[in-house]
Amino acid sequence: MVCEMGFLQRFSRDQPATWAAMKKYNPRYFSIVGGGITSPDNLLPHGEALFHNYLTGLLFLQAEGVEWSKTVWLPDDFGHDSQLPVTLVALGANAVSFARIPGACNQGGNFVPTGARSAYEVLLDETNGGLSFEWGAADSSSIFTYFMPTHYSCGDSFNHVPTHIPNSPTSAAQCQSPKTCNDNSCQLQAFIDVRAPLSVAPVYFVPFGDDFGMPVLGLLESLEVWNTEHYPKTGVYAVASQFDVFVGLMADHLQGHPHLLPHRSFHGSTPKTSFKPTPYWTGFYSSRPQLKYNHYTGTRLLLGVETLDLLLESLTLPALEPGQLEAVWSDLAPSTHHDYITGTAVDYVVENEQYPLGEKVLAGAAKLQATLLSSLEMATDGFVFNQNGFALPQTLVQVAPSSPLFHHPLAQRNPDGALVFLADVPAFGYSVVTKKSLVAAPLAPVKLQTSPSKLVLSNQYLSATASSAANWSLTSLVDLATKQSVLSQGNLVEFRHDQGNIYRYGFEEGCGFDPYTVKVLTYAPIVVEQGDLRAKVQMQLEVSDPSGSFSTRNYTLTYSLSATEAFLRMSLEGVALPSSSVLTSFSFAESISHYTHGTPTHWDRKEPFAFGRQSDFLVTMEATHDFLIPESAGGDLLAAIYHPASPSWGVIDQSLYGVLLRDSPGGAGCPGYGADGTDQASHLINYAIRVPSGLTSPSTGMPQREARAYHTPLLVATGHAGPSTHYSLAKVTGNDMVFLTAAKRGSFDPTQAVFRIYNPTNKNVSVSITFPKSLLNATTRVSLATALERPLKTLTSVHEHTLTISLANAVTTVMLENSK
């Protein structure tokens, strides 16, 4: 059983003869469980990067003639996305297994409020628990799930005697090892005694094999001893096999007894239906932010390149050569690893392997982008390209003074020479920009007022005030549509002496998360940009320690407001204090009862959960994607936080907290768990706050679209892109909540066009998608497919250039194939 294709790929090159012999046993005796080029974290990576991790692995397998088992192995992830079934079902997987969940013995501590029960305690309860269950997401996605109760390497205790191990669900739940075994048969019996009371079928799975572990010597001989001496008495026959075989045996048994398999979800209301796979460890959400930035930025760049590549192909213009794009994706895919994007590798690996590889991806993606744009440079006009799968009306665009658009009269010219103007651009497409086609400036321009002690930024949607007396935090944010104050205070930068480690914040284990005693010196605002379309202002904060425990640190705080955006952009740039977390907070007039946030491929709605051992900071930090929206007890949406790459946000009473910077060498308060976590580099962290007027639930798709538009700017280039002034690869009609998230040529067959469709509603909806004639015509074969580009069924609801499709799940993939 092999999980990570990266290791297998290297093995195949180093040991070709052995690899050729192994392949003959696939899939019956040699199976691929996992299938990604690496074993990914499933909380932090971009959803499309997760898909490409498995696509990269599958490309290798297909080239070698090896089958994937359609099972996913995530043994070492530090907690799990509540909506992970969305991702796995979209991949085409039929089962998943993991070993780390909240409360498990490998967590190191389960600091939950009195009366609360962890996921581990729930699953190991002999009355209402169980190791196997059908795990459902908020949409209709669900997948067979198996939890490994005594970790993924429990079988490696074989041959070590005497060995002390759990021998019942109770002892396992209490992290006790009361059984002393002096032979392997004794251990097998203990494994059975833990699993049998928690199994819905007379089939038990015990994993053998640890990180970089060698095969267990004498395993087959030990199983033969068991079968000879103990099978006649116990009726349990032991075999050395794979996880996918276990899944098949379970499916065979449950086919006649489907009621035996519990259905669980994050929002299950009873012990029989609940499964909450976070929080496990959360400090890694903000550790080493450069790794997160490189991953998210690289993914978005490559998604844009994919769309440009398909757009050029549809216009019969020169596109990329086969393999060019996949080569850069293969460099990005490792960043999904559970010790890469998380920042939990040792310092040497981070600094000498992960950082350079991330920079290589950014450079490679930028080079491909430039190559594609050069194919469009056929005239002297400019054009604006939108890689998002939804139209962007009246959207701000910035170009350099070398652009021929520089002299257009409706543009704002900045002191640095940049040009800013507004444009309307269709989904997955472009608009040619001329003097006549430029969008007029909005009626309400941006206003900026500054003094040494105060600044005010306003547009047609909001008015924001910051004060030097409050360290340039927001002392007021007014929603101009309602004239209501949104915040009591916002963007208050706070410094905590974080004595946690690379995995866990100090508040999680009670190791220390006290406020740093610092002196903050503020400086007058510097206006960077001021005009009708956009204004930007920067302030310097000088932070020192009266006791002299660290040298003075300087931070740059930036506020930026655009005329057509209902949110205030912010950033903080600087170096974390030694052993610290640098946070920002936004406080509201009323308590936050619920919040919604983005996940890698969907969204979820949760209640605040007090977690940890720091009395003044009990919080569950969430691995948020794109947005976080707090709600009042009455269900009002209080605001929205948008961010591109700073995914650690949580709720305490009336406040939202986000961790922006972190230095976590560990050791002082909590053990380091292997990784040092030192980060004394300067980082630029971007985020924004949106006023509530016009903000709607994620079920409408509105905050997802706005957040993506925030962090994925329009691209401007010289040239005319085709025969029309507007061109789009696809347009969704029939439901304005649904939008497209990816457009690309096929990874296995470049003649195919692949589109990803996102349905945020958690309902079955029908939409129509119109494509260019070159992509969809009377001879096109249209298929519903997995995200791994494996066809599921032929779609026939096609009229001229429009496909009508019913969307049952959050993520759907369709493929268009034209004969050439």
Side-chain angles (χ1 to χ4, degrees):
M1 185 173 95
V2 180
C3 172
E4 299 188 70
M5 298 306 98
F7 288 104
L8 191 61
Q9 189 176 47
R10 177 60 182 268
F11 176 82
S12 71
R13 292 200 300 262
D14 292 349
Q15 304 290 336
T18 305
W19 171 236
M22 286 174 60
K23 289 193 293 184
K24 297 176 182 178
Y25 295 97
N26 172 261
R28 185 171 182 182
Y29 299 115
F30 162 52
S31 63
I32 303 300
V33 174
I37 201 68
T38 191
S39 176
D41 172 69
N42 68 80
L43 281 163
L44 295 182
H46 192 292
E48 284 295 323
L50 283 171
F51 292 151
H52 274 276
N53 171 55
Y54 286 93
L55 263 175
T56 304
L58 203 59
L59 281 166
F60 161 69
L61 292 176
Q62 177 166 295
E64 295 292 329
V66 175
E67 295 181 23
W68 174 47
S69 68
K70 297 185 179 180
T71 57
V72 172
W73 189 251
L74 301 172
D76 212 16
D77 289 19
F78 319 129
H80 306 276
D81 169 23
S82 66
Q83 302 304 304
L84 181 58
V86 172
T87 306
L88 299 180
V89 170
L91 283 172
N94 59 27
V96 64
S97 185
F98 38 74
R100 295 187 185 272
I101 61 174
C105 304
N106 46 50
Q107 185 183 16
N110 178 36
F111 309 118
V112 299
T114 302
R117 302 185 73 204
S118 69
Y120 188 65
E121 293 171 306
V122 168
L123 295 187
L124 266 68
D125 183 290
E126 292 189 40
T127 303
N128 295 306
L131 304 179
S132 301
F133 53 95
E134 188 75 10
W135 182 12
D139 69 345
S140 60
S141 303
S142 69
I143 191 166
F144 175 84
T145 303
Y146 179 78
F147 170 62
M148 293 174 267
T150 50
H151 207 38
Y152 60 84
S153 61
C154 66
D156 283 17
S157 61
F158 254 39
N159 300 330
H160 296 279
V161 294
T163 296
H164 306 283
I165 57 176
N167 64 338
S168 69
T170 301
S171 61
Q174 296 174 353
C175 302
Q176 297 176 350
S177 299
K179 182 69 173 178
T180 300
C181 286
N182 292 302
D183 59 64
N184 290 342
S185 290
C186 174
Q187 291 191 52
L188 279 175
Q189 184 60 60
F191 294 154
I192 295 168
D193 291 341
V194 170
R195 289 157 180 77
L198 302 171
S199 180
V200 298
V203 186
Y204 317 125
F205 179 74
V206 181
F208 282 68
D210 204 345
D211 301 356
F212 311 109
M214 296 297 290
V216 176
L217 297 177
L219 174 59
L220 296 181
E221 290 79 3
S222 293
L223 298 185
E224 183 61 30
V225 170
W226 169 272
N227 291 331
T228 301
E229 299 180 4
H230 299 276
Y231 168 60
K233 296 180 291 186
T234 63
V236 178
Y237 192 84
V239 297
S241 192
Q242 303 89 238
F243 176 63
D244 56 308
V245 174
F246 167 75
V247 171
L249 291 171
M250 292 292 290
D252 290 343
H253 182 83
L254 292 169
Q255 189 172 16
H257 311 85
H259 62 283
L260 295 177
L261 189 67
H263 284 247
R264 297 184 179 275
S265 72
F266 189 90
H267 299 287
S269 58
T270 69
K272 197 77 173 177
T273 60
S274 173
F275 178 59
K276 291 180 166 51
T278 56
Y280 183 81
W281 295 335
T282 65
F284 70 88
Y285 297 173
S286 58
S287 297
R288 292 170 168 152
Q290 189 64 42
L291 293 175
K292 279 77 168 169
Y293 172 85
N294 289 348
H295 171 85
Y296 295 124
T297 304
T299 300
R300 292 173 189 134
L301 273 170
L302 287 172
L303 289 172
V305 170
E306 283 184 336
T307 304
L308 264 176
D309 184 45
L310 180 60
L311 186 147
L312 287 166
E313 178 76 8
S314 72
L315 291 169
T316 64
L317 292 173
L320 296 177
E321 295 296 324
Q324 282 185 282
L325 193 50
E326 283 71 20
V328 186
W329 273 118
S330 69
D331 285 336
L332 182 134
S335 67
T336 64
H337 189 274
H338 62 272
D339 279 318
Y340 188 146
I341 190 173
T342 57
T344 53
V346 296
D347 287 356
Y348 176 87
V349 171
V350 172
E351 293 164 5
N352 294 281
E353 296 180 16
Q354 294 176 349
Y355 285 154
L357 187 57
E359 294 301 321
K360 180 184 177 184
V361 168
L362 296 180
K367 183 177 180 180
L368 292 180
Q369 183 185 80
T371 298
L372 292 171
L373 289 175
S374 68
S375 296
L376 299 173
E377 294 178 355
M378 301 186 300
T380 56
D381 287 329
F383 68 91
V384 182
F385 170 68
N386 175 22
Q387 73 175 63
N388 293 293
F390 46 87
L392 289 176
Q394 285 214 327
T395 301
L396 209 67
V397 183
Q398 178 171 313
V399 295
S402 58
S403 168
L405 297 171
F406 184 68
H407 300 290
H408 286 172
L410 294 179
Q412 171 183 315
R413 293 169 179 81
N414 294 328
D416 63 357
L419 180 83
V420 179
F421 61 92
L422 298 176
D424 293 335
V425 194
F428 286 156
Y430 67 81
S431 291
V432 172
V433 180
T434 65
K435 291 180 181 180
K436 293 182 179 180
S437 67
L438 276 172
V439 178
L443 296 177
V446 174
K447 296 181 180 179
L448 170 62
Q449 303 171 14
T450 64
S451 72
S453 61
K454 181 181 178 181
L455 70 89
V456 180
L457 275 165
S458 63
N459 64 5
Q460 60 187 315
Y461 303 106
L462 63 87
S463 177
T465 303
S467 166
S468 64
N471 295 336
W472 291 118
S473 65
L474 297 174
T475 55
S476 172
L477 180 64
V478 177
D479 185 337
L480 295 181
T482 61
K483 310 299 182 185
Q484 297 294 310
S485 175
V486 176
L487 299 169
S488 57
Q489 189 169 25
N491 201 29
L492 178 62
V493 178
E494 179 180 342
F495 302 87
R496 291 264 178 168
H497 190 194
D498 185 351
Q499 298 187 70
N501 50 64
I502 196 71
Y503 299 94
R504 305 178 77 166
Y505 293 113
F507 73 82
E508 295 184 67
E509 296 188 81
C511 302
F513 202 72
D514 296 333
Y516 248 116
T517 301
V518 297
K519 178 182 178 181
V520 181
L521 181 63
T522 62
Y523 291 85
I526 299 172
V527 177
V528 177
E529 180 179 344
Q530 186 168 8
D532 290 348
L533 295 180
R534 188 170 67 192
K536 182 186 294 185
V537 60
Q538 290 183 338
M539 290 73 61
Q540 297 296 317
L541 305 178
E542 185 180 284
V543 178
S544 59
D545 181 2
S547 68
S549 65
F550 61 86
S551 59
T552 298
R553 301 293 171 94
N554 293 300
Y555 297 88
T556 301
L557 188 63
T558 303
Y559 292 107
S560 175
L561 186 63
S562 300
T564 59
E565 294 177 345
F567 49 86
L568 177 69
R569 295 171 180 254
M570 292 162 277
S571 69
L572 182 74
E573 184 174 14
V575 181
L577 304 185
S579 296
S580 78
S581 282
V582 181
L583 301 91
T584 183
S585 64
F586 297 85
S587 299
F588 301 87
E590 51 189 315
S591 294
I592 300 169
S593 68
H594 291 80
Y595 54 90
T596 55
H597 69 85
T599 68
T601 53
H602 198 33
W603 63 275
D604 203 359
R605 181 174 184 264
K606 299 174 181 175
E607 295 180 67
F609 181 71
F611 177 64
R613 301 186 69 180
Q614 180 86 13
S615 60
D616 69 334
F617 205 83
L618 294 171
V619 61
T620 294
M621 302 305 286
E622 298 284 0
T624 62
H625 287 251
D626 297 337
F627 68 91
L628 177 74
I629 302 175
E631 299 178 20
S632 70
D636 294 327
L637 307 184
L638 300 176
I641 297 292
Y642 296 150
H643 69 83
S646 49
S648 185
W649 295 82
V651 171
I652 303 178
D653 300 327
Q654 297 170 241
S655 299
L656 287 178
Y657 286 87
V659 183
L660 306 179
L661 303 169
R662 188 165 190 251
D663 178 61
S664 52
C670 292
Y673 293 122
D676 299 327
T678 308
D679 191 345
Q680 285 294 291
S682 180
H683 301 288
L684 173 64
I685 307 298
N686 294 289
Y687 48 104
I689 185 167
R690 192 205 196 281
V691 295
S693 288
L695 180 65
T696 58
S697 162
S699 64
T700 68
M702 175 265 164
Q704 292 95 319
R705 290 191 298 270
E706 195 167 71
R708 287 169 184 242
Y710 155 68
H711 60 54
T712 309
L714 295 171
L715 183 64
V716 183
T718 303
H720 180 68
S724 62
T725 57
H726 291 77
Y727 185 81
S728 174
L729 283 174
K731 180 182 179 181
V732 177
T733 57
N735 190 307
D736 58 7
M737 303 177 189
V738 173
F739 60 93
L740 300 162
T741 56
K744 63 188 291 288
R745 289 199 284 170
S747 293
F748 300 95
D749 182 353
T751 66
Q752 296 173 334
V754 180
F755 290 86
R756 201 99 62 232
I757 312 166
Y758 178 56
N759 170 20
T761 66
N762 291 330
K763 299 177 181 178
N764 193 319
V765 300
S766 179
V767 298
S768 295
I769 308 173
T770 301
F771 301 93
K773 183 179 179 180
S774 59
L775 293 182
L776 182 60
N777 51 62
T779 63
T780 305
R781 180 181 177 183
V782 185
S783 301
L784 182 69
T786 70
L788 298 183
E789 301 173 20
R790 291 298 185 248
L792 296 172
K793 68 175 182 179
T794 301
L795 301 175
T796 57
S797 298
V798 178
H799 179 68
E800 294 185 345
H801 316 307
T802 299
L803 166 70
T804 300
I805 184 172
S806 179
L807 308 173
N809 297 341
V811 177
T812 300
T813 302
V814 297
M815 295 195 307
L816 312 179
E817 184 174 358
N818 289 291
S819 301
K820 291 194 174 182

